[in-house]
Structure formats: structure tokens, C-alpha cells
Amino acid sequence: QGTAILCAFREIGSERASAERSKRDAREGAELTTAREIADKLMPPLSGMAQSLQSLGGNIFSDKNRGMWLAAMRGSKCLNQSVNMLMMFSSEQPLEAGPCRIEGIIDETIDVLERHGMVPPGVYVERDYAGDLPACEADAEQMKMVVWNLLLNSMQAVEQQGADAQVKINAYPRMHKGKQVVMVDVLDSGPAFEEADIAKFFEPFKGARAGGIGLGLTLSKRALER
């Protein structure tokens, strides 16, 4: 009789787990569909706005007006980045893995961040690469996206610290399950997080970074797992 009761409990537990999986899959499917619909609606007007702002830039001369134009340009770039995030989230990008060097990926990503004015004033990203880094087999473009998101989060976490702001990215070889891999650490002097908040970092639309939509770490985790 005890065994029969135990089997009954297992049956109920299995049905409950299956129902929870179905709910989770339905929720994730709805999130993907909604993200795609929003991106499709926003892309055309944003593209037109960006082109208009670029054209307008050559006809502005006063410092005051130029400051307003620069602010509008930054806002336009931020919106375009958010729409791109929605597009990537709603449709999985094909993997194009090949040999690449992680230090080159990091350097190129930081260079693009600097050229686009994404590095806050007074924030410097220190780089420390081990001298014996091996080449990696990875999708270089998706790895740039991962480094981009991690650095943006770190820089925003420290931008109010002034001269005390510290952002550092390390890359070094390590053995993992019998294979040589490259480890990358992104470190910053920003505030610590509560343990309960850390579990939510990789959930979509849960981010707290100003100007973001909470997909950076979700997409980064997906890329790294693939």
C-alpha cells in the first residue's frame, strides 16, 4: 500500500512538472513573438529618424543646437540598439564558428565602444592578457556581442565613481575537462548585488541598466551556451 501511494505521488509530481514546462514554453513563445512584433513596428520609423538626424547634423552651427542634436543622436543609437536586441532575441542567429583570437575580439569591441561615445567620461577599461593565449574556436561576432554587453553593464555600474571607477577585463588560458580554454573575466568596482537579484540576471526583460531593455545578458548566455 505504501508503494502504491508513493507511485501516486510520483504520477502527480510528473504531471505538475509537465504542466509547468508547458506554461514556461508558452510564456517563452509569447515573449519571442511579442519581441519580434515590436521590433518590426519600430524598425522603419527609427531608420528614417536616424537618417534625418544624420542629414540635419551638417546644418547646425550653434553650440546649444549642436548639443541638442548630439543628445538626439545618442538616443537614436540607443533605440536602434534596443530594436536590434529584440530582433536577435526573437530569432536565433546562425552560428558561424571559426578560429579567432579573444584578445582581438576584446580590443575591437572596446575600440567600437569608444568611437561611438559609449564609454562614460573618466572611465578607462584596463586590459590584461596572458602572453600564451591560444586561438579559440568560436563565432567572433557573437563573442563581440557578449563582450559588448558585459562591458556596458560594468561601465554603467561605475560611471558615478569618478576617479575611483575601475573596469578591468582579463583573458588567460585554463584547462577545463581536459581541454585548453580561454577564460575571460570582466571586473568592476561597482556596487554589489543581492543574492536574490543574481538569479534574475539572465531572465529576459529583467535588466536594470539605464537605456537597456534587459536582454543583453540573456543573449550573451544563449550565445555562450551554444
Side-chain angles (χ1 to χ4, degrees):
Q1 185 176 5
T3 302
I5 293 174
L6 179 60
C7 290
F9 275 124
R10 285 179 176 169
E11 182 89 16
I12 293 170
S14 177
E15 290 177 358
R16 182 176 299 167
S18 177
E20 289 175 352
R21 280 196 302 271
S22 296
K23 288 181 180 178
R24 184 177 66 250
D25 291 344
R27 183 178 68 250
E28 290 176 355
E31 287 174 344
L32 295 176
T33 301
T34 302
R36 185 70 188 205
E37 290 175 350
I38 293 172
D40 287 342
K41 289 178 180 178
L42 288 177
M43 187 64 79
L46 279 176
S47 178
M49 182 177 72
Q51 292 176 6
S52 298
L53 282 169
Q54 288 283 6
S55 301
L56 186 63
N59 300 310
I60 294 176
F61 300 99
S62 76
D63 291 340
K64 179 181 178 182
N65 286 343
R66 186 158 188 83
M68 294 169 61
W69 174 76
L70 288 171
M73 286 292 290
R74 284 193 295 269
S76 174
K77 289 178 182 177
C78 184
L79 284 170
N80 273 296
Q81 185 182 357
S82 295
V83 171
N84 287 335
M85 288 282 194
L86 287 170
M87 296 286 282
M88 287 190 290
F89 175 67
S90 62
S91 56
E92 196 168 79
Q93 304 299 303
L95 278 177
E96 297 182 5
C100 58
R101 301 205 66 89
I102 193 65
E103 63 269 41
I105 287 172
I106 296 170
D107 289 342
E108 186 176 340
T109 304
I110 293 174
D111 181 60
V112 174
L113 284 166
E114 290 174 343
R115 284 192 284 110
H116 284 76
M118 306 291 284
V119 179
V123 175
Y124 171 75
V125 181
E126 181 183 350
R127 286 165 257 190
D128 186 4
Y129 306 144
D132 53 347
L133 283 177
C136 299
E137 184 77 14
D139 186 318
E141 294 306 312
Q142 294 205 28
M143 290 305 97
K144 289 174 190 174
M145 180 268 293
V146 173
V147 175
W148 174 284
N149 285 315
L150 293 175
L151 285 176
L152 276 183
N153 285 354
S154 283
M155 290 189 296
Q156 188 169 74
V158 304
E159 64 179 325
Q160 303 300 325
Q161 295 181 342
D164 296 328
Q166 294 180 14
V167 176
K168 184 175 183 179
I169 185 163
N170 303 326
Y172 51 94
R174 178 177 171 183
M175 295 303 295
H176 178 69
K177 295 182 178 179
K179 293 183 179 180
Q180 189 176 45
V181 301
V182 175
M183 294 291 293
V184 178
D185 299 332
V186 180
L187 313 170
D188 64 67
S189 57
F193 290 91
E194 295 293 333
E195 197 70 29
D197 294 333
I198 295 175
K200 302 175 184 176
F201 280 178
F202 301 104
E203 294 180 21
F205 309 111
K206 299 289 187 181
R209 181 170 63 79
I213 56 174
L215 288 177
L217 292 182
T218 304
L219 292 171
S220 298
K221 183 172 183 285
R222 180 198 290 179
L224 289 171
E225 287 175 340
R226 294 179 67 208

